[in-house]
Amino acid sequence: KPQLVASNDRFCRFLEEYCPVVTETYYPTIWCWEGRVQTLLRPFITSRPQVQYRNELIKTADGGQISLDWFDNNDSLYYPDASTRPTVLLLPGLTGTSKESYILHMIHQSETLGYRCVVFNNRGIAGEDLLTPRTYCAANTEDLEAVIHHVHSLHPSAPFMAAGVSMGGMLLLNYLGKTGRDTPLMAAAIFSAGWNVFESVESLEKPLNWLLFNYYLTTCLQSSISRHRQMLEKLFDMDLVMKARTVREFDKQFTSVMFGYRTIDDYYEDASPCRKLKSVGIPVLCLNSVDDVFSPGHAIPVETAKQNANVALVLTSCGGHIGFLEGIWPRKCTYMDRVFKQFVQAMFEHGNKIFSM
């Protein structure tokens, strides 16, 4: 059974009644139970539901642009009125976009419930041009704030939630820690967030983890900016950035410099959501596996979470990073998908009961 960490008895009872998956035994796929195997295989094993998006480019205050992919769900039987149709904002991982299988599955789950989804693609990675020499990072929430304000202004009467995966979850937590209760979001779901960036990069620099994940992730980061080399060369020594062999080296030469941090340690401290968890002001459910090499179990802020009545952690012993595969042949629904579906439905349809239970 997963460990449910929550200091608020009412939040606990609410989850047990309306999101019972968090109290059920999670049985990982028996032939790939180890965390690294789950992490590596999930993108290849899980299906990719067909989703038709409507793309929207919005301008930012600094002259840049952000690509949003909308799934309007205009055929929704439960919520035919678009003005009040519940909306879920989805934030993919570090180099992820609206095409990631885990995002497509979240949209598929939302479609069956009648909800609308919008995917926030970080600057420059979804095919759109960079109009300014700026990309994104886990600590800077300006673009997310602009997107949340934009989506809310389009549908001010619609219940509004967000779900973030991996770095998307870190960004969302950092935003919630900054805004407290001053947000149009009614709740949030976080999956496989890296809680302490220092611990995450140290784990990823262990020899086997570097070989399996770190080097590949670094090349993904480099390829995501190489298309914009002409724009970025105005500010960066791109030859040096392209020589990075670890995420830490990339962040030292590129990310921390772009966002004006004096040192990489200053950036990593600001990017670590564990430092802002006390300030979260809306109900948040966070799912992590303790065998996730991207977010080691010992770095999950269990004691801090117990100090905030708005926070619930669900910790599984297996599942890896965005893995959570279950069943003999885990093509379709993962444990993470089921947590997502039950929690968003619980909040949209019964959220007002948290405070009365």
Side-chain angles (χ1 to χ4, degrees), residues 8 10 17 55 63 68 87-88 140 143-144 150 160 197 199 212 218 224 246 250 253 270 272 278 285 290 302 351:
N8 186 337
R10 287 184 296 184
E17 182 168 348
N55 184 255
L68 301 179
T87 303
V88 188
N140 189 290
D143 283 0
L144 178 55
H150 173 74
F160 190 18
V197 184
E199 298 290 347
L212 292 174
T218 307
S224 74
T246 65
F250 179 90
Q253 300 297 343
D270 201 23
S272 298
K278 286 180 184 174
L285 182 69
V290 296
V302 172

Coordinates of all heavy atoms in Angstrom, one line a residue, residues 8 10 17 55 63 68 87-88 140 143-144 150 160 197 199 212 218 224 246 250 253 270 272 278 285 290 302 351:
N8 N -3.8 16.9 7.8 CA -5.2 17.4 7.9 C -6.2 16.2 7.8 O -6.3 15.5 6.7 CB -5.5 18.3 6.7 CG -6.9 19.0 6.8 OD1 -7.8 18.4 7.4 ND2 -7.1 20.1 6.2
R10 N -9.3 16.0 7.7 CA -10.4 16.2 6.8 C -10.0 15.9 5.3 O -10.7 15.3 4.5 CB -11.0 17.6 6.9 CG -11.8 17.8 8.1 CD -12.4 19.2 8.2 NE -11.5 20.2 8.2 CZ -11.7 21.5 8.4 NH1 -13.0 21.9 8.5 NH2 -10.8 22.5 8.4
E17 N -12.4 8.7 0.7 CA -13.8 8.6 0.2 C -13.9 8.8 -1.3 O -14.5 8.0 -2.0 CB -14.7 9.5 0.9 CG -16.2 9.3 0.4 CD -17.2 10.0 1.3 OE1 -16.9 10.4 2.4 OE2 -18.4 10.0 0.9
N55 N -4.0 24.8 -31.4 CA -2.8 25.5 -30.9 C -3.1 27.0 -30.7 O -3.8 27.6 -31.6 CB -1.6 25.3 -31.8 CG -0.4 25.9 -31.2 OD1 0.1 27.0 -31.7 ND2 0.2 25.4 -30.2
G63 N 8.2 40.2 -24.7 CA 8.2 40.0 -26.2 C 8.4 38.6 -26.7 O 8.5 38.4 -27.9
L68 N 0.4 27.1 -26.4 CA -0.6 26.3 -25.7 C -1.3 25.4 -26.6 O -1.7 25.8 -27.7 CB -1.6 27.3 -25.0 CG -1.1 28.3 -24.0 CD1 -2.2 29.2 -23.5 CD2 -0.3 27.7 -22.9
T87 N -11.6 22.9 -16.3 CA -10.4 23.0 -17.1 C -9.2 22.6 -16.3 O -9.0 22.9 -15.1 CB -10.2 24.5 -17.5 OG1 -11.4 25.0 -18.2 CG2 -9.0 24.6 -18.4
V88 N -8.4 21.7 -16.9 CA -7.2 21.2 -16.3 C -6.0 21.7 -17.1 O -5.9 21.4 -18.3 CB -7.2 19.7 -16.3 CG1 -6.0 19.2 -15.4 CG2 -8.4 19.1 -15.7
N140 N 11.7 29.9 -12.3 CA 11.1 31.1 -12.8 C 9.6 30.8 -13.2 O 9.4 30.1 -14.1 CB 11.8 31.7 -14.0 CG 11.3 33.1 -14.3 OD1 10.2 33.2 -14.8 ND2 12.1 34.1 -14.1
D143 N 6.2 32.8 -16.7 CA 5.5 32.3 -17.9 C 4.2 31.5 -17.4 O 3.1 31.6 -18.0 CB 6.3 31.4 -18.8 CG 7.3 32.2 -19.7 OD1 7.3 33.4 -19.6 OD2 8.1 31.5 -20.4
L144 N 4.4 30.7 -16.3 CA 3.3 30.0 -15.8 C 2.2 30.9 -15.3 O 1.0 30.7 -15.5 CB 3.7 29.0 -14.7 CG 2.6 28.2 -14.0 CD1 1.8 27.4 -15.0 CD2 3.2 27.3 -12.9
H150 N -4.1 33.9 -18.3 CA -4.7 33.9 -19.6 C -5.9 32.9 -19.7 O -7.0 33.2 -20.1 CB -3.7 33.6 -20.7 CG -4.2 33.4 -22.1 ND1 -4.7 34.4 -22.9 CD2 -4.4 32.2 -22.8 CE1 -5.1 33.9 -24.0 NE2 -5.0 32.6 -24.0
F160 N -11.1 25.4 -12.2 CA -9.8 25.4 -12.8 C -8.8 24.7 -11.9 O -8.6 25.0 -10.7 CB -9.4 26.9 -13.0 CG -8.2 27.1 -13.9 CD1 -7.6 26.1 -14.7 CD2 -7.5 28.3 -13.8 CE1 -6.5 26.3 -15.5 CE2 -6.4 28.6 -14.6 CZ -5.9 27.6 -15.4
V197 N 16.7 19.8 -5.7 CA 17.5 19.6 -6.9 C 19.0 19.2 -6.6 O 19.5 18.4 -7.4 CB 17.5 21.0 -7.7 CG1 18.2 20.8 -9.0 CG2 16.1 21.4 -7.9
E199 N 19.9 17.0 -4.4 CA 19.9 15.6 -4.2 C 19.6 14.9 -5.6 O 20.1 13.8 -5.8 CB 18.8 15.2 -3.2 CG 19.0 15.7 -1.8 CD 20.2 15.0 -1.1 OE1 20.7 14.0 -1.6 OE2 20.7 15.5 -0.1
L212 N 22.5 5.8 -17.9 CA 21.1 5.5 -18.3 C 20.3 6.7 -18.5 O 19.4 6.7 -19.4 CB 20.4 4.6 -17.2 CG 20.9 3.2 -17.0 CD1 20.2 2.5 -15.9 CD2 20.7 2.3 -18.3
T218 N 20.8 15.3 -20.9 CA 21.7 16.5 -21.3 C 21.6 16.7 -22.8 O 21.5 17.9 -23.2 CB 23.1 16.3 -20.8 OG1 23.1 16.0 -19.4 CG2 24.0 17.5 -21.0
S224 N 17.2 20.7 -27.6 CA 16.0 21.6 -27.5 C 16.4 23.1 -27.8 O 15.6 23.9 -28.2 CB 15.3 21.5 -26.2 OG 16.1 22.1 -25.1
T246 N 26.7 16.6 -18.4 CA 25.7 16.4 -17.3 C 24.7 17.5 -17.3 O 25.0 18.6 -17.8 CB 26.4 16.2 -15.9 OG1 27.0 17.5 -15.6 CG2 27.5 15.2 -15.9
F250 N 25.2 21.6 -17.8 CA 24.3 22.4 -18.7 C 23.7 23.6 -17.9 O 23.7 24.7 -18.4 CB 23.2 21.5 -19.2 CG 22.2 22.2 -20.1 CD1 22.5 22.3 -21.5 CD2 21.1 22.8 -19.6 CE1 21.6 23.0 -22.3 CE2 20.2 23.5 -20.4 CZ 20.4 23.6 -21.8
Q253 N 26.4 26.4 -17.2 CA 26.7 27.2 -18.3 C 25.6 27.9 -19.0 O 25.8 29.0 -19.6 CB 27.4 26.3 -19.4 CG 28.6 25.6 -19.0 CD 29.8 26.5 -18.6 OE1 29.8 27.7 -18.9 NE2 30.7 26.0 -17.9
D270 N 16.8 27.9 -5.3 CA 15.6 28.5 -5.7 C 14.6 27.6 -6.4 O 13.4 27.7 -6.3 CB 15.9 29.8 -6.6 CG 14.8 30.8 -6.6 OD1 14.0 30.8 -5.6 OD2 14.7 31.5 -7.5
S272 N 14.3 24.3 -5.9 CA 13.9 23.2 -5.1 C 12.5 23.5 -4.4 O 12.5 24.3 -3.5 CB 14.9 22.9 -4.0 OG 16.2 22.5 -4.6
K278 N 5.7 24.9 2.6 CA 5.0 25.4 3.7 C 4.0 26.5 3.3 O 3.0 26.8 4.0 CB 5.9 26.0 4.8 CG 6.7 25.0 5.6 CD 7.6 25.7 6.6 CE 8.5 24.7 7.3 NZ 9.4 25.3 8.2
L285 N -2.1 17.3 -4.1 CA -1.8 15.9 -4.0 C -0.5 15.6 -4.7 O -0.4 15.9 -5.9 CB -2.9 15.0 -4.5 CG -2.7 13.5 -4.3 CD1 -2.8 13.1 -2.9 CD2 -3.8 12.8 -5.1
V290 N 9.5 6.1 -4.0 CA 10.7 6.2 -3.3 C 11.9 5.6 -4.0 O 13.0 5.8 -3.6 CB 10.6 5.7 -1.8 CG1 9.6 6.4 -1.0 CG2 10.3 4.2 -1.8
V302 N 8.8 14.9 3.8 CA 7.7 14.3 4.6 C 7.4 15.2 5.8 O 6.2 15.5 6.0 CB 8.0 12.9 5.0 CG1 6.9 12.4 6.0 CG2 8.1 12.0 3.8
G351 N -15.1 18.9 -4.3 CA -14.0 19.7 -3.6 C -14.5 20.6 -2.4 O -13.8 20.7 -1.4

